[in-house]
Amino acid sequence: MKTLPVGEAGGWDYVTLDSSAKRLYVPRSDRVLVLDVDGKTLGEIRGTGGVHGVALAPGLDRGFTSNGRSNTITIFRLSSLEVLGQAKATGEGPDAILFDPATTRVFCFNGRGKNATVFDATTGNAVGTIPFGQKPEFAATDGKGHVFVNLEDPAEVAVIDAKKLTVEQRWPLAPLQDPTGMAIDLKHNRLFIVGGNKLMAVLDTGTGKIVATPAIGAGADAAAYDPELGLAFSSNGEGTLTVIRQEGPDRYIVLEQAPTKRGARTMALDEKTHRIYLPTAEFGPTPAPTAEAPRPRPTMTPGSFQILVVGR
């Protein structure tokens, strides 16, 4: 495992990788850091208050950020990192964000708004809102007209018709609880969903049937799938990376719980190099609970933000 020291202040959430351009997009509270895959800073995107995620549309030379505090989506040019404009979310708390190549649309999932804002990636114009009634988490597209999104409580997957902007089905995820990260295997039509009760649910994207529930580590917030190696991954905030081998569409074996570092709960996979990039930091002790903060988080050591690199 290699460590890329980054430093600077701010939290983080979903890290996004552009393998063709060899760039990492790293949300940092009020801006997005753009790094090369060796950790060198290439630039940043400002004006992204409370940024959570970044979606990329390389064919359009466009990128999009979900800004949870300002309830906006920033549109920028990938080649120059120039900000082109901002779209207004139709719900509060933009979180996960996804570009769907089949419809050339961007889906921004609004946590507090319990809905999704959908807009045209070429024009930046809103084309609709999809209500869920529950908080959406991470999402994936099959590239064939369907978008899948986790709904936190109750634990379900909503199946969206990306053209009609309607929810076609809702699939229960029990025994998995508190679903967070999601990845997709396009060849075998499988979704990989990680949850808060140390399980990964593997779903058939045609039927919604759960075909396997391999064990993962605690504090998982992201899933990834490497189609060439046939491996699924769960990044766990406890400080482990669960590695799962696909032995068939319905058979999955846990290979190892590889050690990472505490706080490394999200990740990005480079399918070309098979490397995984996990943001984290060094932490001090967890403060005592208070009435205002009953579940306090440990304090981050200033300047300790880093990207862990796992793989070849």
Side-chain angles (χ1 to χ4, degrees):
M1 184 170 65
K2 181 180 178 181
T3 300
L4 307 178
V6 180
E8 300 195 22
W12 69 90
D13 203 352
Y14 308 118
V15 61
T16 301
L17 175 75
D18 183 341
S19 60
S20 296
K22 298 182 179 180
R23 285 180 170 183
L24 284 168
Y25 293 84
V26 186
R28 296 303 309 275
S29 299
D30 60 356
R31 66 205 185 283
V32 176
L33 294 182
V34 185
L35 313 174
D36 69 13
V37 291
D38 294 316
K40 179 184 177 182
T41 300
L42 302 176
E44 60 182 34
I45 303 155
R46 287 276 179 179
T48 58
V51 60
H52 284 279
V54 181
L56 307 178
L60 302 175
D61 194 23
R62 294 289 186 273
F64 311 87
T65 74
S66 55
N67 309 323
R69 205 161 48 237
S70 60
N71 298 320
T72 59
I73 297 97
T74 298
I75 305 168
F76 66 96
R77 197 184 304 278
L78 292 178
S79 54
S80 65
L81 305 182
E82 172 193 3
V83 173
L84 301 174
Q86 292 206 340
K88 187 69 178 176
T90 55
E92 292 187 351
D95 191 356
I97 190 166
L98 169 78
F99 172 68
D100 175 48
T103 57
T104 323
R105 290 172 170 175
V106 174
F107 291 73
C108 180
F109 298 93
N110 308 310
R112 294 191 302 278
K114 299 181 179 180
N115 62 13
T117 303
V118 186
F119 59 95
D120 188 309
T122 59
T123 65
N125 295 330
V127 296
T129 300
I130 306 170
F132 301 118
Q134 289 91 33
K135 180 185 176 185
E137 277 287 338
F138 210 72
T141 175
D142 65 3
K144 301 175 183 177
H146 291 98
V147 170
F148 307 90
V149 60
N150 290 327
L151 302 179
E152 191 175 90
D153 186 20
E156 295 178 335
V157 170
V159 184
I160 300 167
D161 184 311
K163 186 175 181 180
K164 296 179 180 177
L165 303 185
T166 56
V167 176
E168 290 186 333
Q169 298 182 73
R170 291 177 184 243
W171 295 330
L173 290 173
L176 185 136
Q177 300 171 6
D178 301 319
T180 53
M182 176 188 286
I184 191 166
D185 170 6
L186 297 174
K187 180 180 178 180
H188 299 100
N189 303 311
R190 295 292 183 264
L191 287 175
F192 304 94
I193 299 170
V194 295
N197 59 333
K198 300 172 70 173
L199 288 177
M200 173 187 283
V202 184
L203 272 73
D204 183 314
T205 62
T207 65
K209 178 185 176 182
I210 295 177
V211 301
T213 54
I216 60 172
D221 202 20
Y225 175 71
D226 188 320
E228 185 177 330
L229 299 182
L231 297 176
F233 303 93
S234 171
S235 53
N236 312 313
E238 68 177 11
T240 61
L241 177 72
T242 306
V243 184
I244 297 169
R245 185 172 63 209
Q246 179 185 54
E247 298 199 333
D250 297 343
R251 181 171 169 77
Y252 299 84
I253 304 298
V254 176
L255 291 182
E256 64 175 319
Q257 301 282 6
T260 55
K261 285 188 178 181
R262 183 170 67 147
R265 57 187 174 80
T266 61
M267 65 177 157
L269 167 69
D270 188 334
E271 293 183 6
K272 291 183 178 180
T273 64
H274 311 292
R275 297 188 184 110
I276 295 175
Y277 297 81
L278 305 101
T280 190
E282 305 296 337
F283 295 93
T286 302
T290 65
E292 294 78 18
R295 293 191 296 176
R297 292 184 176 183
T299 54
M300 186 173 79
T301 303
S304 68
F305 181 74
Q306 58 197 257
I307 305 286
L308 308 179
V309 186
V310 177
R312 301 173 181 176

